[in-house]
């Protein structure tokens, strides 16, 4: 063959195969790769292998986890830094089971950790954190228990979708987003006992553009907690309880802290929770802030603190010199918040004497206590009311 013909031929072959490589969908089935869905055989290595293959393939890739129970005995880091794949979907029909001995994860902060990934979708599946024995250890008060591992975390990641997933009995937080951009979470269920310690449902921190939609959360801590540096967060159509409610904070953990800005919480029903909508900061110096928050169309059913801003958080009175929070809270709107309070004080604004809360707006709030009017309490809080307000405002 002539050299020029050969070059042309090679070139044509590349042109024929290149599109199928770049637009192809590669599928990796964990059972085909050797995982045994018997709930007893450790599948950690197979999941790592499936990730490495999916991450290394060009185009889009899919990891299939068929029905059955997969023991994941060790923490896994799904590292996205060297991925060539443009999108990876986890299609999970089965249940991932954490080790029953909590010591197995004692040196890990997270059981299933996605770091620096772009374009990952987690669809379906059940994640069983097996946290009960660790909670019991913590609640026994004997000490010597590890902190525990969060079940699922995404850090420094973008373009993430989590849908149709169930997370039960996490040792610590169930689902965490830290340092993420553009996250859509929907139709998620979180389930843990109402007295399980630190089992927050969803925790968002230092992230922009997170949407949490249509989910049911029952835990022993916050249904959703929002940490410093969260912006453009949207929370809608949530059923929360038991648990500690939806909380912005605790803030002012550090002197230098990013602010929380532009948060919308709407169509949430709280059932028997400790708090409804809460903003909470340590009574400590900080340059953090919370601004432009809207709580809208929320129903409270027997909630201890339906509406609360607490800037005097200082457990055991330790580490709060001067006892004034540096966090500036402003432009907070409560619109159409109704239902029943389990305590007499249904609305409580306990703000910082150094930086009083500014521009709090109450618009159509009706909260009763034992079918009677409830009361409100304001300290260093400034704002206005509109429409029917019960308890009578103290702004
Ligand atoms: C606030 O956040 C929402 C998403 O939750 C976004 O659509 C909107 O543009 C943001 N508003 C501003 C002023 O940035």
């Amino acid at each position: 063959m002539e050299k020029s013909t050969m070059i042309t031929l090679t070139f044509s072959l590349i042109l024929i195969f290149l599109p199928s490589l770049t637009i192809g969908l590669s599928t990796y089935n964990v059972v085909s790769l050797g995982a045994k869905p018997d709930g007893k055989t450790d599948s950690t290595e197979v999941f790592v292998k499936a990730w490495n293959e999916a991450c290394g393939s060009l185009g889009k890739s899919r990891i299939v986890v068929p029905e059955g129970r997969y023991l994941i005995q060790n923490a896994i880091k799904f590292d996205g830094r060297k991925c060539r794949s443009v999108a990876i979907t986890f299609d999970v029909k089965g249940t991932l089971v954490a080790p029953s001995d909590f010591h197995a994860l004692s040196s890990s902060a997270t059981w299933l950790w996605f770091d620096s990934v772009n374009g990952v979708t987690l669809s379906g599946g059940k994640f069983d954190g097996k946290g009960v024995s660790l909670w019991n250890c913590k609640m026994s008060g004997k000490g010597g228990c590890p902190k525990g591992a969060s079940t699922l975390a995404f850090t420094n990641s973008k373009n993430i979708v989590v849908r149709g997933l169930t997370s039960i009995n996490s040792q610590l937080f169930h689902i965490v987003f830290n340092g993420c951009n553009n996250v859509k979470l929907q139709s998620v269920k979180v389930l843990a006992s109402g007295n399980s310690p630190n089992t927050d449902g969803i925790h968002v921190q230092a992230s922009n553009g997170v949407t949490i939609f249509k989910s049911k959360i029952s835990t022993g801590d916050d249904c959703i907690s929002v940490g410093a540096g969260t912006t453009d967060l949207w929370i809608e159509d949530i059923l929360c309880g038991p648990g500690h409610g939806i909380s912005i904070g605790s803030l002012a953990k550090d002197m230098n802290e990013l602010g929380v800005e532009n948060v919308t919480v709407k169509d949430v029903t709280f059932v028997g929770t400790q708090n409804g909508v809460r903003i909470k900061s340590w009574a400590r110096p900080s340059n953090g802030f919370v601004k432009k928050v809207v709580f809208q169309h929320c129903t409270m059913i027997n909630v201890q603190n339906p509406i609360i801003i607490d800037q005097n958080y200082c457990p055991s009175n330790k580490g709060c010199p001067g006892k004034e929070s540096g966090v500036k809270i402003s432009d907070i709107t409560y619109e159409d918040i109704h239902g029943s309070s389990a305590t007499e004080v249904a609305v409580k604004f306990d703000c910082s004497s150094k930086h009083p809360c500014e521009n709090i707006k109450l618009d159509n709030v009706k909260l009763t206590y034992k079918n009677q009017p409830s009361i409100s309490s304001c300290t260093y809080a400034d704002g206005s009311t509109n429409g029917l307000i019960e308890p009578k405002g103290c702004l």
Side-chain angles (χ1 to χ4, degrees):
M1 208 188 297
E2 256 181 61
K3 205 173 170 194
S4 64
T5 321
M6 204 159 108
I7 290 170
T8 315
L9 188 64
T10 314
F11 194 65
S12 319
L13 281 175
I14 289 174
L15 281 184
I16 290 166
F17 285 105
L18 198 62
S20 62
L21 277 177
T22 48
I23 61 171
L25 173 69
S26 324
T27 299
Y28 304 93
N29 182 316
V30 293
V31 172
S32 315
L33 290 173
K36 289 206 175 55
D38 58 5
K40 288 184 284 205
T41 312
D42 182 15
S43 297
T44 308
E45 277 180 25
V46 178
F47 275 71
V48 170
K49 185 163 190 254
W51 172 261
N52 288 339
E53 304 255 339
C55 156
S57 64
L58 287 169
K60 295 182 178 177
S61 47
R62 193 161 75 111
I63 297 170
V64 174
V65 182
E67 283 184 22
R69 292 173 66 79
Y70 301 83
L71 174 64
I72 307 291
Q73 179 68 26
N74 298 295
I76 300 181
K77 179 178 176 184
F78 300 99
D79 191 336
R81 276 172 300 181
K82 295 198 177 120
C83 287
R84 294 197 295 170
S85 180
V86 294
I88 301 176
T89 299
F90 265 86
D91 203 339
V92 189
K93 298 274 185 294
T95 300
L96 276 60
V97 185
S100 41
D101 178 359
F102 57 75
H103 292 105
L105 297 177
S106 62
S107 59
S108 310
T110 308
W111 177 37
L112 304 166
W113 175 27
F114 290 83
D115 182 53
S116 305
V117 300
N118 182 358
V120 167
T121 296
L122 249 181
S123 177
K126 192 163 169 182
F127 296 73
D128 183 351
K130 290 273 169 202
V132 179
S133 57
L134 178 63
W135 309 340
N136 287 338
C137 175
K138 288 180 176 178
M139 288 188 288
S140 75
K142 287 186 193 131
C145 324
K147 185 167 183 257
S150 292
T151 287
L152 176 66
F154 287 86
T155 56
N156 311 313
S157 295
K158 57 187 173 186
N159 308 319
I160 305 302
V161 176
V162 175
R163 62 168 177 249
L165 169 157
T166 301
S167 177
I168 68 166
N169 299 341
S170 181
Q171 290 185 355
L172 202 69
F173 294 5
H174 284 81
I175 303 172
V176 174
F177 299 100
N178 190 347
C180 294
N181 199 333
N182 188 23
V183 174
K184 294 201 167 32
L185 181 138
Q186 76 172 66
S187 307
V188 162
K189 276 188 204 142
V190 174
L191 201 57
S193 148
N195 64 1
S196 54
N198 305 115
T199 53
D200 294 40
I202 300 163
H203 178 73
V204 182
Q205 185 173 328
S207 295
N208 174 263
V210 176
T211 303
I212 301 173
F213 192 62
K214 216 175 173 44
S215 295
K216 284 185 188 172
I217 306 167
S218 309
T219 77
D221 208 304
D222 295 331
C223 287
I224 300 173
S225 54
V226 178
T230 301
T231 53
D232 302 348
L233 170 65
W234 191 276
I235 297 171
E236 182 176 349
D237 193 2
I238 307 291
L239 180 60
C240 166
H244 293 182
I246 293 183
S247 187
I248 296 177
S250 306
L251 301 172
K253 282 193 184 108
D254 300 309
M255 178 58 214
N256 280 309
E257 206 174 73
L258 295 168
V260 173
E261 184 166 355
N262 186 18
V263 176
T264 301
V265 176
K266 65 184 285 188
D267 298 326
V268 181
T269 300
F270 298 87
V271 183
T273 48
Q274 187 193 73
N275 307 286
V277 290
R278 171 168 67 165
I279 300 174
K280 176 181 169 193
S281 78
W282 284 79
R284 282 213 294 246
S286 173
N287 59 6
F289 62 85
V290 180
K291 66 174 152 193
K292 297 190 182 135
V293 179
V294 177
F295 299 107
Q296 212 177 31
H297 312 309
C298 293
T299 304
M300 307 285 168
I301 300 173
N302 206 29
V303 171
Q304 287 172 45
N305 305 295
I307 292 179
I308 179 166
I309 295 180
D310 175 10
Q311 291 209 263
N312 285 295
Y313 183 64
C314 193
S316 319
N317 280 323
K318 272 189 201 142
C320 308
K323 297 216 177 135
E324 281 164 351
S325 183
V327 171
K328 293 186 186 67
I329 298 179
S330 60
D331 307 324
I332 315 292
T333 300
Y334 302 85
E335 192 188 332
D336 180 26
I337 314 287
H338 57 269
S340 58
S341 175
T343 67
E344 197 171 14
V345 180
V347 175
K348 184 172 181 178
F349 299 124
D350 190 3
C351 297
S352 164
S353 56
K354 196 158 179 222
H355 301 288
C357 295
E358 283 173 12
N359 195 22
I360 294 179
K361 281 189 192 147
L362 291 170
D363 186 348
N364 283 298
V365 172
K366 186 169 198 272
L367 295 160
T368 56
Y369 168 60
K370 293 185 173 167
N371 293 320
Q372 302 286 318
S374 56
I375 59 175
S376 60
S377 151
C378 300
T379 316
Y380 299 110
D382 194 42
S384 60
T385 60
N386 188 34
L388 174 82
I389 304 294
E390 192 184 303
K392 293 234 167 340
C394 55
L395 291 167

